[in-house]
Amino acid sequence: MASIHLQNIVKRYGGFVGVQNMSLDIADEEFLVLLGPSGCGKTTTMRMIAGLEEPTEGQIVIGGEVVNDIDARDRDVAMVFQGYALYPNMSIYENIRFPLRMRGIPASEHDARIRKAAEMVELGSFLDRKPGALSGGQRQRAALARAVVRQPQVFLMDEPLSNLDAKLRQSMRVQIKHMQRQLKVTTVYVTHDQIEAMTLADRIVIMNKGAIQQVGTPDEIYSDPANTFVAGFIGSPPMNLIQGTARDGRFTAPGISVPCPRFVHGQVTLGVRPEDCHVGGDNLQGQVYGVEPTGDVTYLTVLGGTNKIEVKAARDYRSDIDVAIGIAFDPAHLYFFDESGQRIRGAA
Amino acid sequence: MRTDAPSVPAGGVASATPDRSGNPPRRRSPALRKAFPYLLLAPAMIYLLAITLYPGLFAIYQSLFVVKFLNWTWTGLGNYSQILQDREFWAALGNTALIGGISLTLQTAIALTLAYFAYRDPLIRGWRIIFLMPMLFMPSAVAFIWKLAFNDGRVISDLLMSVGLVDGNVDWLASVWLARMTLIVADVWQWTPFLFIIFVAALQGQDQEIEEAARLDGASWPEIFWNISLPMMRPVIVVAVTLRGIDITTMFTNVFVMTQGTPGGATETMSYFIYRQGFRMFNFGYASAASVLMLILTIIIAQTVVKRAFHSGKK
């Protein structure tokens, strides 16, 4: 088990900067999720930790040792790939055994360890099959078993659930989290799915365009976003971001008027989450644009001026379109961002 | 009338749907419709029949006769029974198997080794053309190059002398194994690139994630190649080697140009044996029978190899 430190990591591909000056400390036994849109540098970061790519600048330290010059095979990290990367010519048993063989672990230990790992992912009865004869979920579990069987210092998981259907994804999420807690192995998990990030992570690192936007616990990221990118990325549906003007303790935009702290002024962006908007009130005056019942909640879109505001309404809320409606914003949960998109915080 | 107007006219009576040009659909006669696919296939089939099936059938037919130019005498399976007792036939078959087998083994081994070292080179697209060069030369030109290098021009002898490996000129055609070796060297030189290119393509086509997974599992490059890449390449290797093997059984040009079967028939391959029977001794029936036997043997071997390789690859 080991902690991981990234110190001023830069990765350039010719003129393109994949990861820019990234520093990050990952604690021992922590479950850290790298979250961001495609091309944000999260997979590149993970591949640098794995040793599959070299950082252009900076240091990577695993378990107190600088590993920049250590080959991937000697870093003692195990990785689960998006496409499973099972060896198609070997049975599942041989797949799980491969890292044991390659690392020179005594053959007498193999069988017990393979069966234990397979048991952990509930794959015990499929050991003699080839990967081609398994379903997507079973293959992913086999890939997990192959990663855990040699008890590495670090687990790296690169979007391991993205090829699975929604239902399977949910059950695999729980399984991965349970396994990580059980094995107490430092884990770095890459995903673009915020639900995975929120449910799995001890801490989330949100990345965009190669740079860290915010690091924090899921609660912090959700309730205290550092900038408009984080605010808009986390939450489903995402936070409403409304551009307007703040003056003398009041924020106004077409159809919208809310009180705001006095230190907020000028051209700013108001952020308010759909669940903090309530039908009935006068912060937003607009028309119903659409109503989407989902069963447990109804999403309501309100057109206020040129802004479309998402509102999480009661499950039985129904309305025709173009009906005039007033919305109240919860004053305790309003976020203001400056013109560069950074959060405006009080003098403190 | 607009072509996209509804097909029901104002009177309310539905008409047959016109096609986009407004004309009623064309109808082919049922016989023509049935024949149409065959008509499309006909040119290719005629071509194929003319260049392969007809000569093949003719050879089988001819193999049942003793043929001296226009004088055909029925002998039934006489040619076959005579061939099976012909020492030269068996020697030629043995030579083909030996020279072909060694050559094929060497080519496969060299091509795999080169492919292993080359496929991760991002610049391979640029320089693989150099590897292809030998294959692009005319076989007879290649045979002459090697004939010059080994015998007439004594290039190889000179090179060996200059590094002190031999004392004088080597007569490559004087020894059974040296003569066979010249044929093997020429064949390996010309045809290793064929296998190399196919193997490189197969390796580059493999899922890179699998290789990376193996690296993280602790495997070295040779271990990855041996445990994962090579087994995954198996179908490609089988097909490529089978194709090359079939080609080698018809090895003729090099023998004809370089050794003419000498010394003492030690380099006479099946093709050269058939050529000699047909065009030197004018036993056309006999040569045809040998060709037919060779064809049957090649089909059996190729079928067995491919079948076994693909069956044990599955499971």
Side-chain angles (χ1 to χ4, degrees):
Chain A
M1 317 306 118
S3 58
I4 303 170
H5 304 285
L6 306 182
Q7 292 164 3
N8 305 101
I9 295 292
V10 177
K11 178 68 184 179
R12 280 191 215 100
Y13 301 94
F16 176 77
V17 182
V19 174
Q20 39 181 312
N21 201 23
M22 179 169 179
S23 293
L24 186 64
D25 291 333
I26 305 168
D28 190 15
E29 299 183 18
E30 182 173 10
F31 198 125
L32 184 102
V33 173
L34 297 175
L35 176 67
S38 301
C40 72
K42 56 190 192 297
T43 297
T44 307
T45 305
M46 167 173 283
R47 290 172 61 83
M48 287 191 287
I49 297 173
L52 297 173
E53 300 209 23
E54 277 181 42
T56 317
E57 287 170 29
Q59 272 194 338
I60 298 173
V61 181
I62 300 178
E65 189 183 5
V66 177
V67 295
N68 286 40
D69 295 327
I70 296 180
D71 194 76
R73 62 187 287 244
D74 299 319
R75 288 196 188 182
D76 198 18
V77 301
M79 187 154 164
V80 179
F81 291 82
Q82 183 175 356
Y84 321 131
L86 294 169
Y87 312 125
N89 54 310
M90 301 179 196
S91 66
I92 296 304
Y93 187 90
E94 284 302 323
N95 261 282
I96 302 175
R97 189 173 164 216
F98 190 73
L100 302 178
R101 268 173 55 205
M102 291 302 120
R103 291 185 182 270
I105 288 161
S108 55
E109 288 179 31
H110 289 188
D111 192 61
R113 285 173 76 161
I114 293 164
R115 291 191 189 280
K116 194 177 157 207
E119 235 22 82
M120 197 177 272
V121 296
E122 297 159 29
L123 211 62
S125 51
F126 298 101
L127 285 175
D128 55 345
R129 301 247 191 116
K130 289 239 170 116
L134 298 186
S135 70
Q138 289 165 340
R139 279 185 226 182
Q140 193 53 280
R141 293 212 297 271
L144 276 174
R146 186 178 63 185
V148 303
V149 73
R150 65 185 165 90
Q151 296 153 4
Q153 287 199 75
V154 175
F155 278 145
L156 303 174
M157 303 196 188
D158 184 10
E159 312 217 15
L161 305 184
S162 60
N163 288 356
L164 306 180
D165 64 53
K167 205 173 160 191
L168 202 53
R169 218 180 291 172
Q170 199 271 337
S171 69
M172 284 294 293
R173 261 192 341 240
V174 178
Q175 202 163 21
I176 287 176
K177 190 164 186 175
H178 180 83
M179 213 169 66
Q180 197 266 347
R181 290 285 184 269
Q182 207 177 3
L183 296 170
K184 298 183 176 14
V185 176
T186 315
T187 302
V188 180
Y189 187 106
V190 161
T191 183
H192 62 265
D193 181 343
Q194 50 152 324
I195 302 290
E196 271 173 38
M198 296 294 280
T199 52
L200 288 171
D202 292 326
R203 277 193 309 158
I204 298 176
V205 176
I206 298 202
M207 295 183 68
N208 188 33
K209 294 181 181 163
I212 293 180
Q213 302 296 314
Q214 188 171 358
V215 183
T217 65
D219 283 342
E220 283 167 4
I221 296 273
Y222 189 82
S223 56
D224 193 15
N227 54 39
T228 49
F229 178 81
V230 176
F233 198 77
I234 290 284
S236 174
M239 185 183 281
N240 295 298
L241 295 170
I242 307 151
Q243 291 183 338
T245 317
R247 189 177 299 144
D248 303 332
R250 185 150 282 274
F251 171 91
T252 52
I256 295 169
S257 173
V258 285
C260 68
R262 294 230 159 236
F263 57 78
V264 177
H265 54 83
Q267 292 293 320
V268 298
T269 300
L270 164 69
V272 56
R273 291 207 179 273
E275 60 268 34
D276 297 324
C277 304
H278 307 288
V279 176
D282 60 356
N283 293 132
L284 163 64
Q285 300 288 343
Q287 298 86 39
V288 174
Y289 183 81
V291 179
E292 302 166 274
T294 65
D296 60 339
V297 67
T298 296
Y299 294 110
L300 167 67
T301 308
V302 178
L303 193 62
T306 52
N307 295 304
K308 280 184 193 152
I309 314 296
E310 289 278 340
V311 177
K312 226 178 215 177
R315 59 188 287 185
D316 56 353
Y317 181 86
R318 297 292 182 272
S319 169
D320 278 335
I321 61 165
D322 294 337
V323 174
I325 189 172
I327 299 290
F329 296 155
D330 183 346
H333 294 103
L334 299 180
Y335 306 90
F336 294 94
F337 304 93
D338 64 19
E339 278 183 278
S340 66
Q342 294 304 309
R343 179 86 173 276
I344 306 171
R345 296 176 193 273
Chain B
M1 179 178 153
R2 279 178 50 183
T3 55
D4 58 352
S7 61
V8 181
V13 182
S15 66
T17 312
D19 67 8
R20 290 181 75 99
S21 62
N23 299 322
R26 270 186 302 159
R27 294 205 186 280
R28 290 193 194 95
S29 74
L32 187 65
R33 249 190 300 163
K34 263 193 178 166
F36 196 62
Y38 301 101
L39 286 176
L40 290 177
L41 282 174
M45 289 307 291
I46 291 169
Y47 172 76
L48 211 65
L49 293 179
I51 66 157
T52 63
L53 198 65
Y54 171 71
L57 291 175
F58 186 80
I60 293 171
Y61 178 67
Q62 197 179 41
S63 71
L64 305 174
F65 292 84
V66 172
V67 181
K68 289 288 178 192
F69 298 102
L70 295 177
N71 184 12
W72 290 42
T73 317
W74 172 260
T75 172
L77 297 176
N79 281 330
Y80 290 96
S81 70
Q82 205 184 329
I83 284 175
L84 294 177
Q85 291 162 27
D86 185 345
R87 269 202 194 163
E88 285 182 11
F89 170 81
W90 290 108
L93 196 63
N95 287 335
T96 310
L98 203 64
I99 296 169
I102 295 173
S103 178
L104 193 57
T105 310
L106 282 175
Q107 284 168 35
T108 311
I110 295 171
L112 270 176
T113 312
L114 288 176
Y116 163 71
F117 284 110
Y119 83 99
R120 270 175 274 124
D121 184 345
L123 300 178
I124 184 146
R125 270 167 222 281
W127 55 264
R128 68 181 161 193
I129 186 70
I130 299 169
F131 274 88
L132 276 176
M133 297 280 274
M135 237 168 82
L136 304 179
F137 292 138
M138 260 191 335
S140 51
V142 172
F144 270 106
I145 291 172
W146 284 103
K147 189 184 185 194
L148 279 173
F150 274 114
N151 297 322
D152 306 352
R154 302 191 184 286
V155 180
I156 309 266
S157 289
D158 280 354
L159 283 174
L160 289 178
M161 271 198 287
S162 68
V163 294
L165 280 175
V166 292
D167 296 331
N169 275 325
V170 182
D171 185 355
W172 299 93
L173 293 186
S175 136
V176 170
W177 279 105
L178 286 181
R180 283 174 180 161
M181 199 192 74
T182 60
L183 290 180
I184 291 168
V185 168
D187 197 63
V188 167
W189 181 83
Q190 187 169 22
W191 290 106
T192 301
F194 173 78
L195 295 177
F196 168 77
I197 290 293
I198 293 176
F199 294 163
V200 166
L203 281 167
Q204 286 178 333
Q206 290 185 355
D207 186 353
Q208 217 188 330
E209 268 194 357
I210 291 182
E211 225 170 60
E212 289 175 346
R215 265 176 84 192
L216 290 171
D217 278 346
S220 62
W221 286 113
E223 281 168 336
I224 293 173
F225 186 72
W226 185 251
N227 287 294
I228 291 155
S229 304
L230 205 56
M232 278 168 72
M233 276 173 80
R234 184 191 174 117
V236 176
I237 295 176
V238 170
V239 170
V241 169
T242 305
L243 288 177
R244 194 71 267 285
I246 290 171
D247 198 33
I248 278 187
T249 57
T250 63
M251 181 191 286
F252 175 76
T253 315
N254 289 355
V255 182
F256 181 76
V257 174
M258 290 169 66
T259 69
Q260 309 250 325
T262 53
T267 57
E268 181 168 86
T269 56
M270 273 307 296
S271 293
Y272 195 78
F273 171 80
I274 292 165
Y275 159 79
R276 206 162 49 83
Q277 289 297 332
F279 296 98
R280 290 276 174 85
M281 294 148 93
F282 303 109
N283 294 329
F284 290 117
Y286 197 76
S288 291
S291 305
V292 172
L293 282 178
M294 197 59 201
L295 176 71
I296 294 169
L297 201 65
T298 314
I299 291 175
I300 292 174
I301 293 172
Q303 274 293 326
T304 319
V305 168
V306 171
K307 223 179 195 172
R308 286 191 65 172
F310 278 94
H311 269 260
S312 52
K314 285 180 190 166
K315 199 180 156 183

